[in-house]
Amino acid sequence: ACTQQALARLRLANGPDAPPTLADGIAHAEGATVLSEIKQSARPMALCRAVVSRIRHHPEILPMSFEPDLVAHMTGALPDRACGLVLHLSKLIGPAEHRDRMRAARAMGARFIACHFTDLDVSAAFAHSHGLGLACWTVRDVATLSRVIAKGAAPIFEGLAPETVKAALAVR
């Protein structure tokens, strides 16, 4: 298990910063939407309940998870909040399982799905035709950013400098 102290000692790749905590996300949101992924843990439902409790009065924080039971709990506990199901790579789970998970997202009350950029085409077609929002991970370059935006998805960045993103968006 990773304690808060151990997390504080970790450093993100290519920088001196520790991974942000949920409190950091809340403090720095400044009106922007923040996607907060609830990862699998030794006690996933306890973690989910704790996160729901912390973000209840912060509508800018949108929770999401790979775990359908956690997403179902979040949608029930936060009925006025967009909660999302993060989709596994279709090349790892197969296209049929990928489609089944997208269908299940609506049934569990998710308002958006988050897919890997390699699954963008099929995920975008499904999301748009079923009234779901779409986020796309992991956007690491301007070409992928442009493709994600063109498909009507919100990009989830990793390793792109803010000035690079701003310059790419200014060209659009």
Side-chain angles (χ1 to χ4, degrees):
C2 186
T3 65
Q4 191 169 3
Q5 294 79 12
L7 183 64
R9 288 191 301 272
L10 291 175
R11 293 295 168 252
L12 296 174
N14 303 320
D17 299 324
T21 64
L22 181 57
D24 294 334
I26 291 169
H28 292 91
E30 299 177 3
T33 299
V34 175
L35 297 176
S36 180
E37 182 183 343
I38 299 176
K39 299 281 192 178
Q40 186 59 270
S41 69
R43 296 177 39 227
M45 194 54 74
L47 174 61
C48 183
R49 286 187 187 108
V51 169
V52 165
S53 174
R54 292 285 307 272
I55 68 171
R56 184 171 307 283
H57 302 293
H58 298 281
E60 70 279 12
I61 309 294
L62 304 182
M64 62 184 188
S65 179
F66 279 100
E67 306 303 323
D69 57 331
L70 300 184
V71 175
H73 175 77
M74 292 184 294
T75 61
L78 301 166
D80 297 329
R81 183 84 47 99
C83 301
L85 179 66
V86 184
L87 301 169
H88 294 278
L89 285 158
S90 66
K91 69 181 179 184
L92 297 179
I93 63 173
E97 176 69 16
H98 187 77
R99 282 189 303 277
D100 289 347
R101 284 182 167 260
M102 287 190 291
R103 285 187 199 104
R106 284 295 279 164
M108 69 183 66
R111 293 203 203 147
F112 69 92
I113 54 176
C115 69
H116 188 264
F117 71 89
T118 58
D119 293 321
L120 181 59
D121 292 334
V122 68
S123 299
F126 181 89
H128 298 318
S129 68
H130 288 81
L132 289 168
L134 180 64
C136 185
W137 55 276
T138 296
V139 177
R140 294 184 177 128
D141 58 63
V142 173
T144 303
L145 173 61
S146 296
R147 188 169 158 256
V148 166
I149 292 170
K151 288 287 184 178
I156 300 174
F157 301 107
E158 182 179 299
L160 269 180
E163 26 321 319
T164 302
V165 174
K166 287 177 185 172
L169 292 175
V171 171
R172 297 194 61 75

